[in-house]
Amino acid sequence: MSTPLLLLVESNTTGTGRQFAQRARGLGTEPVLLSADPARYPYAAEDGLRTVVVDTADDEALRAAVTTLAAGAPVAGVLSSSEYYVATAAGLARRLGLPGPSADAVRACRDKALQRRTLTEAGVPVPRFSVAGSVAEAIAAAQWLGGPVVVKPVQGSGSLGVRLCRDRDEVAEHAGSLLAATVNERGLTTPGVVLVEQYLTGREFSVEVFGEDVVTTVAKHVGAPPVFVETGHDVPAVLPAERSASLVDSAVHAVKALGLGWGAAHVELRLDGDVARVIEVNPRLAGGMIPELVRRALGVDLVGAQVRAALGAPVDLTGTPDAVGAASIRFLTAGDDSVLTHVVTAESAARAVPGVVDASFYRPAGTPVAPAEDFRGRVGHVIAAGTDPGETAEVAGTALTLGLATALVPAAARAAVPA
């Protein structure tokens, strides 16, 4: 009898993509990566993952590839770990009669303008916002909102294209740049509008939801404006009970209002006084290694849960007895143009800090590193785990400073420092 297939429509380039395939194998299915360019994901070749080259932006081509696969073995599930292809995977699962979220709900959720309108109509607290299809409209929106505003694409992830604009000229420049782009970083057509929103200065959090159940609240650390690069996460977030409840209430209300309620949702919020305002709902697992923090801290395998849900298997969100209680991650970014040096020594120093369970660079020694504009500018991470959230946060920060960060040398000194 043929082994059932779990189809993975594209992948994220870092983080959980590899884990999706690993969990699929552990559940007795064969993962198959459908991709226009499998070389984009080095782990696929490294792990011997079966791949099919197909234009994943072409529904007919995708349908034909799946029909060919299904002739050789039963298709048991369809998933994507990529923000850009969750709707495609949902639609494919629906056509095959397999478990998955509403494809229409996922498509609507991925359009941040439509998402904002839906949440507003449902009474979910969100920042004040406007949608602009031209530079003039963006400037008018900023004037209406008053003060600094955030200008961002209506589709995307990883803080790509998200920028704080403090005056008319900055709004015009950034909105003009976004509106001039006809395709995004994945080569997919852009909608031709941008979101202009109120700049909130309160602390940022995420609530990880599965179905309509809250798994945990995460404290997020974000770099200095004008960009919004996520530099770390703490699981669980330590908050007064009433503020924690406010975050949870807003997140669950948002998920229900958007018609989701299947599988994972990553809800990002900021506190505005005592009000938890939803920045965006992502109809997928969190990025930034948050699922790994949840697994270590709480013993809940969100990646495994997502794969099980796609296969129609029971999902148990109860933590395991070996969970330690807390975990933190800190990402390495450069403050100035730099170069990576002595990465092996720096990584060893980070791992030597008591409480550190993982430390890694994403690039080899000798690589030039510019200040991060989005998640692609992160060059490494440190993860700490333990019983106390405050301690794990401190440990991760210490290991980053005394370990990984020592590998960054100013570019001006590059010639004088061996790789």
Side-chain angles (χ1 to χ4, degrees):
M1 183 176 178
S2 301
T3 302
L5 308 179
L6 176 68
L7 306 184
L8 302 172
V9 183
E10 298 291 352
S11 173
N12 50 0
T13 51
T14 60
T16 56
R18 168 178 259 151
Q19 294 175 4
F20 269 58
Q22 292 171 339
R23 301 298 193 277
R25 289 191 176 110
L27 289 168
T29 63
E30 180 185 5
V32 180
L33 176 65
L34 307 177
S35 174
D37 180 16
R40 187 183 186 93
Y41 317 110
Y43 76 84
E46 294 167 3
D47 295 356
L49 180 62
R50 181 179 173 186
T51 60
V52 173
V53 178
V54 58
D55 183 355
T56 46
D58 183 329
D59 286 343
E60 290 304 316
L62 193 57
R63 186 179 293 116
V66 172
T67 299
T68 300
L69 284 167
V75 176
V78 183
L79 274 177
S80 181
S81 60
S82 168
E83 165 79 22
Y84 300 96
Y85 295 92
V86 287
T88 301
L92 185 56
R94 178 61 58 89
R95 286 196 296 271
L96 295 172
L98 296 170
S102 162
D104 289 340
V106 172
R107 289 190 195 97
C109 186
R110 287 210 63 245
D111 182 330
K112 293 180 175 63
L114 180 55
Q115 181 189 124
R116 280 286 176 81
R117 294 188 184 106
T118 302
L119 295 179
T120 300
E121 290 170 1
V124 178
V126 298
R128 292 186 299 126
F129 71 97
S130 184
V131 180
S134 68
V135 170
E137 289 179 359
I139 291 171
Q143 291 173 334
W144 169 67
L145 290 167
V149 295
V150 177
V151 180
K152 64 173 69 171
V154 296
Q155 292 182 357
S157 67
S159 301
L160 288 165
V162 181
R163 194 171 191 87
L164 177 67
C165 298
R166 299 184 183 277
D167 56 36
R168 177 193 178 98
D169 290 343
E170 290 184 0
V171 170
E173 180 180 0
H174 189 54
S177 175
L178 293 178
L179 291 167
T182 57
V183 296
N184 64 20
E185 64 282 356
R186 286 283 188 135
L188 303 174
T189 302
T190 55
V193 294
V194 296
L195 198 64
V196 182
E197 69 181 25
Q198 172 190 12
Y199 173 46
L200 299 177
T201 59
R203 292 179 62 193
E204 184 167 343
F205 299 87
S206 71
V207 176
E208 308 311 318
V209 180
F210 202 93
E212 294 181 356
D213 297 322
V214 170
V215 177
T216 192
T217 298
V218 182
K220 301 169 75 69
H221 299 264
V222 181
V227 293
F228 296 88
V229 180
E230 294 180 357
T231 58
H233 311 296
D234 300 321
V235 175
V238 178
L239 281 163
E242 64 276 8
R243 293 201 168 182
S244 180
S246 179
L247 289 165
V248 166
D249 289 347
S250 289
V252 173
H253 190 180
V255 167
K256 291 180 178 179
L258 293 167
L260 298 174
W262 182 94
H266 171 61
V267 186
E268 298 178 326
L269 313 95
R270 275 188 186 258
L271 286 175
D272 182 19
D274 291 328
V275 178
R277 299 193 183 275
V278 174
I279 302 299
E280 62 186 51
V281 178
N282 302 279
R284 55 167 172 81
L285 280 176
M289 304 289 284
I290 288 174
E292 180 63 11
L293 299 185
V294 173
R295 185 186 70 81
R296 288 183 179 276
L298 309 178
V300 177
D301 181 5
L302 287 173
V303 178
Q306 191 79 335
V307 171
R308 292 182 69 86
L311 296 173
V315 173
D316 184 2
L317 299 176
T318 305
T320 56
D322 59 347
V324 294
S328 296
I329 189 169
R330 294 295 181 270
F331 294 102
L332 179 65
T333 59
D336 301 293
D337 288 342
S338 304
V339 63
L340 279 177
T341 63
H342 304 302
V343 296
V344 174
T345 301
E347 187 176 300
S348 296
R351 290 179 180 272
V353 177
V356 169
V357 295
D358 184 38
S360 178
F361 284 99
Y362 309 150
R363 305 173 192 175
T367 302
V369 180
E373 292 283 325
D374 51 59
F375 79 99
R376 296 172 299 183
R378 301 187 303 212
V379 294
H381 72 257
V382 172
I383 296 178
T387 58
D388 181 83
E391 290 181 4
T392 61
E394 184 176 352
V395 168
T398 298
L400 186 77
T401 302
L402 301 183
L404 297 196
T406 63
L408 286 176
V409 173
R414 181 180 184 182
V417 180

